[in-house]
Amino acid sequence: MKAEGAEPSMTEYRVAFDAGRPDGRACIHLGELVSPGDPAVRGCSECLESGKRWLHLRQCLSCGHVGCCDSSRGKHAQDHAESSGHPVARSIERGEDWAWCYADELFLTPNGGPGMAT
Ligand SMILES: [Zn+2]
Ligand SMILES: [Zn+2]
Ligand SMILES: [Zn+2]
């Protein structure tokens, strides 16, 4: 399928303030992230195949893979990060715009955020 219309704008992330962690931690992957756009299927493909249920969905910011979160039984987003070496996944839950770097164990938040004028 060809993408029609405007390209999704690139979301840039920065490391979120995270109380309880030492300052100065950095995610070395920020420059490698892509904006995969909204997934075609809003579901964890691994869970769908095996008939499992998931709680929340995470989308890989390297290839667009959708997997379920660490609170889901499958933990397929983490599986994907470890097996593929893709470090960062974002939440695609409504109202959530953060991402998580599995390699650096850091929360990331978008620079600017939705609705900002360009
Ligand atoms: Zn990182
Ligand atoms: Zn899953
Ligand atoms: Zn991936």
Side-chain angles (χ1 to χ4, degrees), residues 43-46 56-60 65-69 75-77:
C44 172
S45 49
E46 282 94 338
H56 302 126
L57 295 172
R58 308 285 178 249
Q59 184 180 32
C60 176
H65 170 275
V66 175
C68 53
C69 73
K75 296 184 171 56
H76 290 120

Side-chain angles (χ1 to χ4, degrees), residues 15-94:
V15 174
F17 173 73
D18 190 350
R21 289 186 188 274
D23 283 341
R25 290 165 59 100
C27 173
I28 58 172
H29 310 99
L30 292 178
E32 306 167 8
L33 304 181
V34 301
S35 284
D38 284 333
V41 178
R42 246 185 135 74
C44 172
S45 49
E46 282 94 338
C47 282
L48 285 170
E49 260 174 39
S50 55
K52 291 203 186 90
R53 305 190 64 145
W54 60 84
L55 282 175
H56 302 126
L57 295 172
R58 308 285 178 249
Q59 184 180 32
C60 176
L61 289 183
S62 299
C63 70
H65 170 275
V66 175
C68 53
C69 73
D70 290 359
S71 304
S72 308
R73 284 177 65 187
K75 296 184 171 56
H76 290 120
Q78 184 179 11
D79 264 14
H80 173 77
E82 286 173 2
S83 64
S84 65
H86 296 162
V88 181
R90 66 166 178 163
S91 171
I92 53 171
E93 296 301 317
R94 202 178 289 274

